[in-house]
Amino acid sequence: MLVVADLMPLPLSSGTELASGSLSMDKTVTLRLKKGAYDEWRKAAAAELRPLANFIVTAALARIREAQFVDDGEMAEILGNDALVRRLKAGSHQANERRGYFVA
């Protein structure tokens, strides 16, 4: 089951304005979806009264942000752990000095 909550719709436009003030052209991506997946995406988009492409882009970006960034509760827990904060700061300092071992 697809569950996507609290998503902000993206504007539908032919280009995106960059911080520099210039426009970059949107890119086209072709997806091959099984019928069941397509039907699920289509129904979810219809439930939010949004075009399918907009719904897919918004859901994908939300998933990326969810995976890459810490939510407020998790950040409060991290910052509340003094030993962890000290280790993170030491690791950051070592990385800036290019010392230590780095695991990819």
Side-chain angles (χ1 to χ4, degrees), residues 74-92:
E74 191 175 358
M75 182 55 78
E77 186 177 339
I78 290 169
L79 294 176
N81 184 332
D82 293 335
L84 176 60
V85 171
R86 280 193 303 276
R87 290 193 338 250
L88 289 171
K89 286 181 180 179
S92 177

Side-chain angles (χ1 to χ4, degrees), residues 19-72:
S20 64
S22 65
L23 287 178
S24 72
M25 296 305 294
D26 289 346
K27 305 295 182 204
T28 300
V29 176
T30 301
L31 298 174
R32 184 178 305 271
L33 301 172
K34 293 190 179 211
K35 180 162 179 9
Y38 172 80
D39 290 341
E40 196 167 343
W41 281 106
R42 186 182 49 75
K43 287 175 188 174
E48 293 191 14
L49 303 174
R50 297 194 355 218
L52 178 59
N54 178 263
F55 184 84
I56 290 173
V57 168
T58 305
L61 287 173
R63 174 64 181 96
I64 290 168
R65 290 178 184 132
E66 175 185 301
Q68 290 183 345
F69 298 103
V70 178
D71 66 32
D72 292 340

